[in-house]
């Protein structure tokens, strides 16, 4: 019985973090790329709108810290933000976080191969100065700037493989897998909401 209770507590949950709702539920007004989660979301409409801003108040994080990030690349980071803020299906990978701004984080979420490869493909010519975007920035201006001595380089040099990008950029939040979309074994960052949310079954499998 305890195992069943444990399993249930990891399904359809929101993590205890900066902008998450306490319980998932319908959000009719989700914005832009976050609309995939409108039937059952951990994010509010406001959060979904901010996820699309270049300099959003969510974390004061600037994608363009080494010059403008190409749009085709940026859409993956917006999608990554939508998944993180809105998905109620990340329970099996929620871990404790000892930071001032959140009590929980995700770790080793198994991303579908296509989602990771496409992210890497579209971002190869984007430019950054850091491999791990979670820490080590210079925040003196109130937004993230490259630390002193850090060189801006193209993603393809910073992240030589798709796995390097997905696994390193948010310090192990994602894990690169060889599982394919629709396999029921990996989390999709992108899906067709008219077909329902495929990540519900994935969370059940891992829980």
């Amino acid at each position: 019985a305890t195992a069943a209770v444990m399993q249930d507590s990891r399904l359809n949950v929101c993590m205890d973090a900066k902008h998450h709702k306490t319980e998932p539920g319908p959000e009719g007004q989700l914005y832009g790329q976050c609309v995939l989660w409108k039937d059952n979301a951990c994010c509010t409409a406001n959060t979904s709108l901010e996820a699309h801003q270049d300099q959003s108040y969510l974390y004061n994080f600037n994608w363009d810290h080494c010059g403008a990030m190409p749009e085709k690349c940026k859409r993956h980071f917006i999608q990554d933000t939508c998944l993180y803020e809105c998905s109620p299906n990340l329970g099996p990978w929620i871990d404790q976080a000892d930071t001032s701004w959140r009590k929980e984080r995700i770790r080793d979420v198994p991303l579908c191969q296509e989602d990771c490869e496409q992210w890497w493909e579209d971002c190869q010519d984007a430019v950054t100065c850091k491999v791990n975007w979670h820490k080590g920035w210079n925040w003196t201006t109130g937004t993230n700037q490259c630390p002193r001595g850090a060189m801006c380089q193209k993603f393809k040099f910073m992240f030589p493989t798709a796995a390097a990008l997905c696994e390193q950029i948010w310090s192990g939040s994602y894990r690169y897998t060889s599982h394919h979309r629709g396999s029921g074994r990996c989390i999709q960052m992108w899906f067709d909401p008219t077909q329902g949310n495929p990540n519900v079954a994935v969370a059940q499998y891992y829980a």
Side-chain angles (χ1 to χ4, degrees), residues 16-144:
D16 184 357
K18 193 172 179 183
H19 302 289
H20 287 71
K21 302 191 314 196
T22 46
E23 301 274 317
E27 285 289 333
Q29 300 299 309
L30 289 191
Y31 179 79
Q33 293 175 213
C34 295
V35 76
L36 306 188
W37 287 275
K38 70 177 173 36
D39 294 341
N40 193 28
C42 285
C43 61
T44 61
N46 220 4
T47 298
S48 71
L49 181 65
E50 283 295 323
H52 292 71
Q53 310 297 335
D54 281 352
Q55 189 66 63
S56 116
Y57 82 81
L58 295 178
Y59 305 101
N60 292 320
F61 195 89
N62 178 19
W63 307 124
D64 303 331
H65 51 266
C66 280
M69 179 183 278
E71 288 305 318
K72 67 174 183 176
C73 173
K74 191 170 287 178
R75 67 189 191 99
H76 291 276
F77 282 97
I78 292 171
Q79 201 64 16
D80 154 58
T81 305
C82 289
L83 177 74
Y84 171 80
E85 300 290 351
C86 305
S87 175
N89 312 120
L90 300 175
W93 304 280
I94 290 177
D95 201 4
Q96 299 307 302
D98 46 357
T99 47
S100 56
W101 51 281
R102 59 178 181 180
K103 298 217 172 21
E104 292 179 332
R105 60 163 292 187
I106 45 172
R107 206 182 285 275
D108 293 329
V109 172
L111 264 198
C112 295
Q113 186 176 5
E114 295 90 338
D115 290 54
C116 188
E117 294 283 353
Q118 197 61 57
W119 189 356
W120 183 67
E121 198 65 41
D122 289 345
C123 288
Q124 289 201 36
D125 292 327
V127 183
T128 185
C129 54
K130 283 180 59 46
V131 169
N132 182 349
W133 286 14
H134 262 152
K135 48 181 186 261
W137 296 99
N138 169 359
W139 286 96
T140 49
T141 59
T143 182
N144 56 304

